[in-house]
Every structure is written in C-alpha cells, then in structure tokens.
Amino acid sequence: MSENTPESKPEPAKGPEPSGVDLARVALRAAKEQARARGDAVRQKKQARRGGLRSGAHADGRDPMALGSAINRLITERGWEAPAAVGGVMGRWPEIVGDDLANHCVPEKYDEDERVLVVRCDSTAWATNLRLLAPQLVARLNEDLGHGTVRLIKVLGPGGPVQRFGPLRAPGSTGPGDTYG
C-alpha cells in the first residue's frame, strides 16, 4: 500500500467524497509512485550486476581528475607529506641556501625515520662552512616544512676516487689503504 493513498491522508472536514475525476487523479498518482519505486529497484539490480554505479552526467568520485589533484590525493592517502615536502626543498635548494652554497653543496638524501638531511659538498672548505651554517639552515628548513621535519643536517665532504693499484686485486678490496684501518 502506498503512502499517498486516500486511506493514509487525513480526512478533510466532512466535505463531499472524491468522485470520478478526483478518484482517477489519486489512482494515477499512486500508480506513478509505485512504478517509480519498481524502476528504482530494477535500476539498482542492474547496477549491482554491472559492478556498481557508472559515471554519468553528474560528477562523482570515479570521474577523471587533474594530475596534480591525483598526486596530492595519493600523497595524502599514503602519508608521504614530509618526504614529498623535503623533495620539494631539494628541488628549490638554490632558493633556500643561496647560489654560492648551492653551487658547492648538493642534498643527496633524506632519512624520514631519523629526520636527517644528507648534503655532499665538493670541498672540505665548503663542508666546514656548511657545518657552521647547519643550525640556521635547519631552522629555515623547519619553518618551510613544518616543525621537526629536519632534525639534523649531515654534511659529507668530497668523495675521493677508488684507488685501484696493480692488475691483481682481492674482491671487495679498496686498495692498499684497506689494511691500515
């Protein structure tokens, strides 16, 4: 029984009973509502068989989205905010530290667990200079990234070439220097 049948409506104040055309309108309205309800049920069954709703004229969560929005959503869902922010800092390194320092010192990696940024310098003089500037640089990075994102800057000096002396070498050896400590 539908909700809009004459029995469920409050009775009007003892007026004339609906007749002919009025009864036909009430019956037509009830039939339309029942057909609409049956159509909704059939539509839901079809959607369930097809594997869910299909994207149509109205926007929903399955619609295509811009690449930037998709990447931001992925970063947020996976909890990659801090590593992504530090990666952005590595891309903007010259803006943050200045051109002189950026020409001689390059960020290599960020350890998320330890919150340590590893920077390699091309000379020991620049490594010493960066070690002196490290506290100010950590403060500047934390202002940009959020408090506590970078706890320490580990400064590495220039890496020397691997010494290879003689035609015969032991596997894994670094040359004659590996015996002295």
Side-chain angles (χ1 to χ4, degrees):
M1 188 181 267
S2 179
E3 296 171 2
N4 291 332
T5 58
E7 292 86 21
S8 65
K9 287 186 177 181
E11 299 232 315
K14 298 293 180 185
E17 291 287 323
S19 63
V21 176
D22 293 330
L23 283 174
R25 285 185 186 143
V26 170
L28 179 62
R29 186 179 314 128
K32 283 183 178 180
E33 288 176 4
Q34 289 173 354
R36 188 177 303 122
R38 282 192 307 267
D40 288 343
V42 169
R43 190 177 315 115
Q44 288 174 355
K45 286 181 184 177
K46 283 183 183 179
Q47 289 171 351
R49 275 187 300 215
R50 287 187 294 179
L53 294 171
R54 299 282 185 213
S55 183
H58 301 288
D60 63 8
R62 296 162 296 149
D63 286 341
M65 63 174 60
L67 181 61
S69 300
I71 290 174
N72 288 338
R73 182 175 171 186
L74 179 68
I75 287 171
T76 303
E77 288 174 356
R78 301 284 171 111
W80 295 339
E81 289 92 356
V86 172
V89 164
M90 289 182 177
R92 296 181 294 125
W93 184 251
E95 297 171 17
I96 294 171
V97 299
D99 289 333
D100 288 341
L101 198 59
N103 289 335
H104 299 282
C105 302
V106 179
E108 283 192 347
K109 66 180 180 177
Y110 173 70
D111 184 4
E112 184 179 1
D113 297 330
E114 299 290 324
R115 298 187 321 261
V116 174
L117 180 65
V118 178
V119 180
R120 181 167 302 276
C121 298
D122 62 0
S123 71
T124 55
W126 280 105
T128 303
N129 190 15
L130 186 62
R131 283 187 190 103
L132 294 173
L133 293 174
Q136 292 91 1
L137 190 55
V138 166
R140 190 179 319 164
L141 288 170
N142 283 329
E143 284 177 17
D144 194 27
L145 301 173
H147 183 67
T149 305
V150 178
R151 186 178 56 81
L152 177 71
I153 294 179
K154 184 176 180 181
V155 181
L156 304 176
V162 177
Q163 297 178 352
R164 299 179 192 249
F165 297 103
L168 300 175
R169 292 183 47 242
S173 133
T174 58
D178 67 350
T179 59
Y180 298 109

